Amino acid sequence: MDYFFIITILIALSATFGYINVRFLKFPNSIGLMVITILFTLAIFALSYFDTRLLDAEKFMINQINFKSVLLDIMLSFLLFAGALHTNFEQLKIQRWPVLVFSTLGVLISTFLVGTTMFFILKWLGLDVNYIFCLLFGALISPTDPIAVLGILKKAGVPKKLETKIVGESLFNDGIGVVVFLTLFQIASFGNQNIEVSDVLKLFGQEVIGGIALGLLLGWVTYRLLKSIDDYDIEVIITLATVMVGTAIAQKLHLSAPLAMVAAGLFVGNDTVRANAMSDTTETYVDKFWELIDILLNTILFVLIGMEMLVLVFEGNYIIAGLLAIPVILICRYASLMMPINFFKKKLDFVPYTNLIMTWGGLRGGISIALALGLTQEMHRDLFLVITYIVVIFSIIVQGLTVGKLVERLEKLPNKNL
């Protein structure tokens, strides 16, 4: 099965499921697409009791797709650049310190809390899993997914100041989370004796600082190129080249491509650069082009997430562990945000119930699944993949559908910074 045929099937399914959602369900696209794809996959499972050909064909197609590589190495750069391009830069600049702390310290605290708690839960369930592997799960599930967050918060009615915190955190913390995951992955693969603190700091500095520096350089070069001409066709292509060339350079130099694309998108998308480098026509075309890229890739991504059910190994204890992981992850996220919020709330104007909304609005998505798919069998890949999938489905469908109602209800309560 060649890649053109696979892409054709994915886009045809995305268009069909998207139409059904808009025409009948009227959910936010990411939620609707996942719900319909899961129902479609379950229907294929049911049909397989009579005829296995359709199930075999879908399994074969999914096995041809390296979900981890497709998302982390290709799609994520385009999606993060598009998200950063449309982020309110001025609000983000005001909220930069809490966003920075949420996306670094918050991820590290959550990784430790989730990993430690899951270690004891799995032991209680009779599953003997090394502590370092539980920390790996904590690292892959702690970052909130910007792709899921950006799509759903737009319709949730979250106050703009708080939306900036959640979106800003999700744009940066996936890059930080990937670096934390890679560090723990190396420790788990080679053992503590081969990893020194200096190696960890070097990896962190190279990936994070190097990635952001590359993104700012790409943003500046793009700005200079856009400023020197006035041709919206070529200017749109320049922004596309920025993402593709930047991603290739980041991968070659072992820098964080996601952080590079966030930095580049924020640089190009801020109001000063737009005013100095883009005409009104160019600005409209650039925005519309990246909105289309965002919608197309999001649609394909959530269809893929729904179809990934076919690679799961369902066992009773795995499902119980996944269900228990949902409240654990929510409680750990709430706890990891508590200290930063209490520290910054006196200096910045936080909306009431910030922690509660950020906890419920911090959705998990494709990034967590992609990282779980990257685990080896020795790291209990099948177990953590099932747990991750259950958490992601709950996060996107249940949390995504109710975050707007939560905000409405909290607005009617007395003001408290919880």
Side-chain angles (χ1 to χ4, degrees):
M1 190 179 292
D2 61 70
Y3 285 113
F4 179 77
F5 188 64
I6 291 173
I7 293 170
T8 300
I9 292 174
L10 286 175
I11 290 180
L13 288 174
S14 300
T16 303
F17 297 163
Y19 175 83
I20 293 170
N21 178 55
V22 172
R23 183 75 173 80
F24 301 107
L25 297 183
K26 304 186 188 305
F27 289 157
N29 283 331
S30 52
I31 298 173
L33 287 164
M34 179 172 281
V35 169
I36 296 169
T37 308
I38 290 172
L39 292 175
F40 174 74
T41 304
L42 291 174
I44 290 177
F45 273 126
L47 185 63
S48 68
Y49 285 101
F50 306 99
D51 189 338
T52 63
R53 283 178 293 180
L54 189 57
L55 177 62
D56 292 339
E58 189 174 347
K59 279 187 174 180
F60 181 76
M61 187 183 79
I62 288 297
N63 287 328
Q64 299 298 305
I65 303 170
N66 186 333
F67 184 90
K68 179 175 180 286
S69 178
V70 167
L71 176 57
L72 295 182
D73 297 339
I74 302 172
M75 294 175 70
L76 189 57
S77 291
F78 292 93
L79 289 163
L80 289 179
F81 183 86
L85 193 69
H86 299 114
T87 299
N88 188 322
F89 184 79
E90 293 305 316
Q91 265 296 320
L92 187 61
K93 192 161 68 172
I94 294 170
Q95 307 289 346
R96 63 188 180 278
W97 292 117
V99 165
L100 178 63
V101 175
F102 292 152
S103 60
T104 52
L105 186 61
V107 169
L108 291 171
I109 294 173
S110 177
T111 296
F112 174 76
L113 292 177
V114 171
T116 303
T117 308
M118 288 305 297
F119 173 75
F120 290 108
I121 287 176
L122 294 176
K123 190 174 287 291
W124 176 68
L125 289 172
L127 298 167
D128 187 20
V129 181
N130 287 346
Y131 181 61
I132 187 66
F133 301 151
C134 293
L135 284 180
L136 263 176
F137 171 71
L140 69 87
I141 205 69
S142 290
T144 54
D145 192 317
I147 303 157
V149 170
L150 286 165
I152 291 169
L153 284 186
K154 289 176 184 176
K155 296 189 176 182
V158 175
K160 285 296 178 185
K161 287 184 291 187
L162 182 53
E163 182 182 331
T164 302
K165 291 185 185 71
I166 299 175
V167 170
E169 177 208 11
S170 65
L171 284 171
F172 283 101
N173 74 4
D174 71 291
I176 302 295
V178 169
V179 174
V180 173
F181 176 85
L182 291 175
T183 304
L184 291 170
F185 190 91
Q186 286 192 7
I187 294 172
S189 299
F190 304 115
N192 292 335
Q193 66 274 16
N194 295 319
I195 302 290
E196 297 181 0
V197 175
S198 59
D199 296 327
V200 174
L201 293 176
K202 181 182 177 182
L203 176 65
F204 223 85
Q206 180 178 336
E207 290 274 349
V208 176
I209 299 173
I212 292 173
L214 173 64
L216 293 174
L217 176 62
L218 288 167
W220 181 81
V221 171
T222 304
Y223 159 68
R224 298 300 302 178
L225 291 172
L226 296 178
K227 188 177 181 181
S228 64
I229 62 172
D230 184 15
D231 187 309
Y232 65 84
D233 292 331
I234 302 302
E235 289 178 79
V236 169
I237 295 172
I238 288 171
T239 61
L240 180 62
T242 296
V243 175
M244 299 182 75
V245 172
T247 301
I249 292 173
Q251 291 172 355
K252 190 73 174 175
L253 299 179
H254 302 290
L255 309 177
S256 173
L259 290 175
M261 291 307 102
V262 169
L266 289 172
F267 193 105
V268 175
N270 85 76
D271 292 339
T272 303
V273 170
R274 285 173 176 267
N276 291 332
M278 300 184 200
S279 65
D280 290 342
T281 303
T282 297
E283 191 172 351
T284 300
Y285 274 87
V286 167
D287 284 340
K288 292 299 181 185
F289 173 79
W290 283 104
E291 282 175 17
L292 179 60
I293 293 288
D294 190 28
I295 292 167
L296 175 62
L297 293 183
N298 259 305
T299 302
I300 294 172
L301 173 62
F302 283 99
V303 168
L304 273 173
I305 291 175
M307 294 175 73
E308 283 293 323
M309 280 180 65
L310 295 170
V311 304
L312 301 182
V313 178
F314 289 102
E315 291 188 14
N317 279 355
Y318 292 7
I319 295 171
I320 294 170
L323 295 173
L324 291 174
I326 292 170
V328 166
I329 290 164
L330 289 170
I331 292 168
C332 291
R333 174 161 171 81
Y334 187 91
S336 69
L337 296 174
M338 190 178 297
M339 186 181 72
I341 287 175
N342 287 335
F343 180 79
F344 285 109
K345 70 180 182 182
K346 295 179 181 177
K347 300 180 181 181
L348 293 169
D349 184 20
F350 275 35
V351 303
Y353 303 99
T354 289
N355 201 350
L356 199 55
I357 299 172
M358 287 191 69
T359 296
W360 199 251
L363 310 179
R364 274 71 180 179
I367 293 168
S368 294
I369 292 176
L371 293 175
L373 285 166
L375 296 173
T376 64
Q377 290 300 332
E378 292 76 18
M379 297 171 181
H380 303 271
R381 177 181 184 269
D382 292 338
L383 165 64
F384 288 124
L385 194 52
V386 170
I387 296 173
T388 301
Y389 202 87
I390 290 171
V391 171
V392 168
I393 289 178
F394 178 88
S395 172
I396 292 176
I397 296 178
V398 179
Q399 292 174 232
L401 282 176
T402 56
V403 65
K405 296 175 183 176
L406 175 68
V407 172
E408 289 177 11
R409 181 163 293 186
L410 291 177
E411 284 177 346
K412 299 174 183 177
L413 298 178
N415 287 355
K416 289 182 182 178
N417 276 307
L418 292 180

